[in-house]
Amino acid sequence: MADILRIDDLADSRLDAYTRLTERELRSVLEPEKGIFIAESAKVIERALDAGLTPVSFLMGERWLDQLAPLLATIEEDVPVFVAPMELMEQLTGFTVTRGALAAFRRPPLVEPTTFLEGLCKAAGEHPVRVCVLEGIVDHTNVGAIFRSAAALNVDGILVSPTCCDPLYRRAVRVSMGTVFQVPWTRIGKTARTWPADGLDVLHRSGFTCAAMALTDDSRSLDDPALLDIDRLAIFMGTEGAGLTARTVSGCDVAVRIPMAHGVDSLNVAAASAVAFWQLCPHASNSYHYRPGMFS
């Protein structure tokens, strides 16, 4: 159950996860075995709890305590909830964008990629499987936006290359609106030096056709019907600006591009991912009715 603790000083060492530690330190110093990440806003925290993630602590302004009481009541473990006057909380850089609440969660363990893919295929049964591979994407906003599109547009899972930024970075989690907890993901490829050969090998051995979203002379149009007939498809999205590396494009089975007008050569990677997911993934039924959560 939640344990309400009043604080009057942000220098309190119990708040280090929120006030002092960098993202790297949260991953490796505070809890070496699993690491910790920070979730911002009630909606994101709600989705993390719904996903079964383990909270370490909460930090919120005084006026948010009553509003968040129903959420805190769902927690069975003894978890500290640090509550401070709003004027104190406003000293936290960027606190105004957290919508009132922060929480530290334990990082879930990542699944080995072959096992991860096997699980996705088993869960899909006779349905096609679609995964997205993120190579070298360094903007956390783009990673968060891609996860949100993946959740909305029926992507089965996301694989993150050694050169891609952390999906559980604070900004990525916030931009994803917590959907990073809904889309299964794991890391693929051991090091930047061995990538993409090791990642492509895992995908090919798991029966996946690898499609590079790339502007090459022989790129297929995204609306090529043959792409929809592929049972297991891995969609590779590349880094901002340069796109996928030449080694990745040559190692994939097919290159795909989005046909565009007015001489525009490409879209932002987050926008391109949404277009690709809509075209290549099974569509959700239009009979879906929005079901708001506690903090919609």
Side-chain angles (χ1 to χ4, degrees):
M1 58 185 296
D3 184 14
I4 309 300
L5 302 172
R6 309 284 174 171
I7 59 171
D8 56 14
D9 187 354
L10 292 179
D12 190 319
S13 61
R14 295 174 296 178
L15 304 182
D16 282 355
Y18 304 100
T19 61
R20 293 178 187 79
L21 297 181
T22 65
E23 297 285 343
R24 181 182 295 274
E25 289 170 331
L26 287 172
R27 290 196 302 270
S28 60
V29 175
L30 217 158
E31 183 75 23
E33 292 80 11
K34 293 185 178 179
I36 285 174
F37 70 90
I38 302 298
E40 299 181 0
S41 87
K43 166 54 72 177
V44 172
I45 294 169
E46 181 186 16
R47 283 185 167 157
L49 291 171
D50 285 345
L53 299 183
T54 304
V56 175
S57 65
F58 295 82
L59 173 62
M60 64 189 66
E62 180 75 48
R63 67 185 178 90
W64 291 95
L65 182 57
D66 288 344
Q67 183 175 342
L68 294 171
L71 183 67
L72 299 175
T74 66
I75 301 170
E76 297 180 359
E77 302 87 354
D78 291 329
V79 179
V81 178
F82 301 108
V83 180
M86 290 305 298
E87 57 268 24
L88 184 64
M89 294 301 298
E90 288 168 3
Q91 296 177 24
L92 278 176
T93 301
F95 181 73
T96 54
V97 302
T98 67
R99 300 182 184 177
L102 301 164
F105 282 88
R106 297 193 189 280
R107 284 175 172 264
L110 293 179
V111 180
E112 188 274 331
T114 298
T115 303
F116 177 82
L117 293 169
E118 289 175 352
L120 294 183
C121 294
K122 183 177 180 180
E126 297 180 356
H127 298 288
V129 181
R130 300 291 183 256
V131 299
C132 180
V133 183
L134 305 183
E135 178 184 272
I137 298 178
V138 296
D139 187 306
H140 298 97
T141 298
N142 283 334
V143 170
I146 291 170
F147 266 87
R148 191 171 183 182
S149 293
L153 299 173
N154 252 350
V155 174
D156 294 287
I158 292 181
L159 295 160
V160 180
S161 80
T163 54
C164 183
C165 67
D166 180 16
L168 292 182
Y169 185 88
R170 188 180 302 199
R171 183 168 179 79
V173 172
R174 184 171 70 241
V175 172
S176 82
M177 288 297 294
T179 55
V180 68
F181 313 128
Q182 296 175 298
V183 182
W185 69 276
T186 197
R187 290 273 179 183
I188 187 171
K190 293 182 179 180
T191 66
R193 178 175 295 182
T194 60
W195 177 264
D198 50 358
L200 287 164
D201 180 60
V202 167
L203 284 159
H204 283 141
R205 284 191 290 105
S206 297
F208 280 80
T209 297
C210 297
M213 297 297 297
L215 302 174
T216 66
D217 291 339
D218 60 350
S219 293
R220 294 190 194 181
S221 172
L222 182 64
D223 61 1
D224 184 337
L227 296 172
L228 296 177
D229 293 333
I230 298 173
D231 183 47
R232 298 181 181 182
L233 183 66
I235 307 162
F236 279 68
M237 310 294 301
T239 185
E240 299 84 355
L244 295 168
T245 64
R247 287 186 300 173
T248 298
V249 175
S250 63
C252 284
D253 304 291
V254 61
V256 179
R257 75 166 80 192
I258 301 170
M260 283 180 265
H262 303 296
V264 177
D265 60 353
S266 64
L267 298 174
N268 165 274
V269 66
S273 71
V275 174
F277 298 160
W278 167 256
Q279 178 64 27
L280 299 175
C281 299
H283 291 179
S285 169
N286 198 42
S287 63
Y288 171 80
H289 294 287
Y290 176 65
R291 293 183 295 275
M294 195 179 296
F295 301 100
S296 298

